[in-house]
Amino acid sequence: MPKDTVEPHPETHTVNADFCVIGAGAGGVAVATTAAAFGQRVVLIEKHKMGGDGLNYGSIPANALLAAAKRAQDMRTASPFGIRGVEPLIDHAAVNRYVTDVIARIAPNTTVERFGGMGIQVISAAAKFLNPTTVAAGEYRISARRFVIATGSSPIIPLIPGLADVPYFTNETIFDNNAPIPHLIVIGAGTTGIELAQAHRRLGSRVTVIDAAHALGDEDSELAVVLLTQLAAEGIVFLEGVRITRVSGTVGNVAVEIAGNESETERIEGSAILVAAGRKANVADLGLDNARIKVAGNAIKVNESLMTTNKRVYAIGDAAGGLRFAHVAAEQADVVLRRSLFRQSAKTVGRSAPRVVFTEPQFACVGLSEAEASTKYGRVNVLRWPYHENDRAQIERKTEGHIKVITTKRGQILGAAVVGAEAGEIIQMWSLAISQRLNIKAMTQWISPYPTFSEISKKAAIRYFATVPSNPFLRKVIALLAKLG
């Protein structure tokens, strides 16, 4: 039998739908529930856990673990507030139960029963295209007017000699651990690696992070260095620009051998390995060739409207590549629905979607970086304001970091980045500003409650007017603001 042929199920049921959604993660759920709310016949196919990666292995458990770790760190660092700092006693099994409980509390939002109540037919099986208009899933054959592939992604396991023979964690298994890890070796210094490195360090592990390039190498180095300096101060060891030559060991006793530019080798011994070396789209075994859907790199090829090479099929979220965040998948779901339901010319926002590293301090950015903006627009304005000149930051003893805003010479906001306390909250107003193509002037015409971290946004925006010193009134305003701090 040809490899792309699906063996007939002994009891096959035919289903006709308006939407067939493959994958019940953030993007797939958004498409399914909204389409059903507009009276569409919806089939939702999920072969594994409802809620997808974000709920079960991604941002939810990672942020829960970080929240527990933050409580431990607060106990250590209470002395500046007049409270004696103490070393906390970590109950790793209890921490694991807390993380599991957080997932369990959110999970009811994505149950089969809830979707059934909305009129959505949920099929628990693997999906595979039989042809451009039909998908097989278990005993069902689904024909639909529109298909949406939202199958998410999986960890990339690098081809490192010996790794296949050594036990290791990924983000899909690390949250099952309920025991102390004396020394965690993290392979990969992207968002996932950095977040889990800090969480485990604060929960009592020694942590070494290894990366072939630079930690947070895709982000603005000016701000990234603030975060990385803080992580190093907490005791996380970074080994950057090195090559892993071999991995060996057994459960609880592993070793990673690395070589630098001068080929000098070093052996790092630890208790466990976490592989966080990137992700690849889950597109294998979907029968994409049968549906005439092309793959580009390690993701499905889509246009700016998220349509695949089969006009009946869309791909969103990690399956379509790009930024791998739950909120990006949800935004892409909105694009698909606006195009397919309302015939609007919607398209994905791309780089204007915000992204956050939920460490402490947090790192958040949206839009173009300084380098990207300079390449595209030539001369740009760069506006900054430091946390140490913010009164809330002084109150909370969180004075590390600053905000950085990029505008054109005429004041159009191109990008913003924040490293510091509550950066993930602060970046949201800049995401709105960029999405609405606001001028920087608009960011000076609102009242910020005092004292709040968000004041740094307005302070940075006012700095724009320092670039037009020919206006006497503006010179006076700037001088007054400088005196007020």
Side-chain angles (χ1 to χ4, degrees):
M1 182 176 291
K3 66 177 182 179
D4 288 332
T5 300
V6 177
E7 186 175 348
H9 195 279
E11 295 182 7
T12 299
H13 303 282
T14 300
V15 178
N16 293 310
D18 296 307
F19 281 84
C20 177
V21 182
I22 305 172
V29 166
V31 172
T33 55
T34 305
F38 280 93
Q40 301 294 294
R41 297 168 300 167
V42 180
V43 172
L44 177 62
I45 304 173
E46 174 56 59
K47 69 177 183 179
H48 195 34
K49 292 185 177 181
M50 302 294 290
D53 187 82
L55 172 62
N56 297 290
Y57 316 114
S59 57
I60 296 302
N63 277 274
L65 195 67
L66 282 163
K70 182 181 185 301
R71 296 326 188 264
Q73 188 70 1
D74 287 344
M75 294 177 67
R76 296 185 185 98
T77 59
S79 58
F81 300 91
I83 301 168
R84 181 176 298 173
V86 297
E87 184 61 31
L89 298 175
I90 311 295
D91 184 339
H92 290 84
V95 171
N96 178 260
R97 288 194 296 271
Y98 158 71
V99 173
T100 302
D101 180 66
V102 170
I103 296 172
R105 288 172 180 268
I106 298 173
N109 294 325
T110 57
T111 60
V112 173
E113 292 76 16
R114 179 171 183 265
F115 293 141
M118 298 179 183
I120 300 170
Q121 181 177 357
V122 179
I123 299 174
S124 300
K128 187 170 187 176
F129 281 93
L130 299 179
N131 55 54
T133 63
T134 309
V135 161
E139 64 189 61
Y140 297 93
R141 301 294 180 266
I142 304 99
S143 296
R145 294 172 55 244
R146 295 284 183 269
F147 294 89
V148 180
I149 301 173
T151 48
S153 62
S154 299
I156 292 174
I157 307 302
L159 297 175
I160 299 172
L163 183 60
D165 301 319
V166 174
Y168 58 83
F169 291 114
T170 69
N171 74 297
E172 294 183 349
T173 58
I174 189 71
F175 301 111
D176 294 331
N177 178 64
N178 61 4
I181 302 177
H183 184 188
L184 178 65
I185 301 174
V186 181
I187 298 176
T191 299
T192 299
I194 292 295
E195 288 180 347
L196 294 180
Q198 186 179 53
H200 283 85
R201 176 59 187 148
R202 290 181 164 192
L203 290 172
S205 300
R206 289 175 55 206
V207 178
T208 301
V209 180
I210 303 173
D211 198 283
H214 297 287
L216 296 177
D218 293 335
E219 305 296 351
D220 189 322
S221 59
E222 175 190 322
L223 288 92
V225 70
V226 178
L227 169 56
L228 297 174
T229 299
Q230 176 61 33
L231 296 180
E234 292 186 13
I236 297 175
V237 176
F238 288 94
L239 301 175
E240 302 174 89
V242 298
R243 176 173 54 90
I244 299 176
T245 58
R246 178 163 292 279
V247 173
S248 59
T250 57
V251 175
N253 185 16
V254 297
V256 177
E257 297 176 25
I258 61 174
N261 294 331
E262 299 180 358
S263 298
E264 294 183 359
T265 60
E266 181 180 356
R267 180 182 172 91
I268 312 299
E269 296 183 347
S271 310
I273 294 172
L274 168 65
V275 177
R279 302 186 68 78
K280 60 181 179 181
N282 294 330
V283 297
D285 302 321
L286 285 175
L288 298 181
D289 288 342
N290 298 338
R292 299 171 190 164
I293 297 171
K294 293 183 178 180
V295 175
N298 67 349
I300 295 174
K301 182 179 180 180
V302 295
N303 61 19
E304 62 182 8
S305 300
L306 301 167
M307 183 182 291
T308 71
T309 48
N310 178 342
K311 293 184 178 180
R312 194 182 285 252
V313 183
Y314 293 87
I316 63 175
D318 292 10
L323 296 175
R324 302 185 187 277
F325 298 105
H327 57 276
V328 172
E331 184 270 337
Q332 291 176 342
D334 179 65
V335 170
V336 169
L337 290 163
R338 287 166 61 189
R339 287 191 63 85
S340 56
L341 283 179
F342 307 114
R343 300 295 189 269
Q344 296 179 349
S345 58
K347 59 183 181 179
T348 183
V349 299
R351 289 282 292 180
S352 62
R355 49 203 187 276
V356 183
V357 183
F358 286 102
T359 47
E360 192 175 31
Q362 293 179 3
F363 179 98
C365 48
V366 64
L368 301 180
S369 67
E370 180 182 358
E372 291 168 335
S374 297
T375 299
K376 185 173 182 179
Y377 292 93
R379 296 182 62 189
V380 295
N381 286 322
V382 181
L383 316 173
R384 299 177 176 86
W385 195 266
Y387 267 73
H388 67 77
E389 293 192 24
N390 175 269
D391 291 353
R392 170 54 65 180
Q394 291 293 345
I395 291 169
E396 302 288 346
R397 292 294 190 264
K398 297 183 183 296
T399 56
E400 304 88 2
H402 64 281
I403 184 172
K404 179 178 181 180
V405 180
I406 314 299
T407 76
T408 64
K409 300 304 290 184
R410 291 183 176 273
Q412 179 187 349
I413 302 168
L414 302 176
V418 187
V419 59
E422 304 298 336
E425 304 295 334
I426 294 169
I427 204 66
Q428 295 185 46
M429 66 189 306
W430 294 99
S431 179
L432 174 64
I434 291 173
S435 70
Q436 299 302 306
R437 300 182 181 277
L438 297 183
N439 188 280
I440 193 67
K441 182 188 297 186
M443 302 301 285
T444 68
Q445 298 174 336
W446 57 283
I447 299 174
S448 176
Y450 175 84
T452 60
F453 288 116
S454 293
E455 289 180 278
I456 66 170
S457 290
K458 188 171 184 178
K459 296 286 190 179
I462 291 171
R463 292 294 302 163
Y464 169 78
F465 297 103
T467 65
V468 283
S470 58
N471 187 314
F473 173 74
L474 290 177
R475 284 204 304 268
K476 292 180 181 179
V477 171
I478 293 168
L480 177 60
L481 289 173
K483 290 181 180 179
L484 294 175

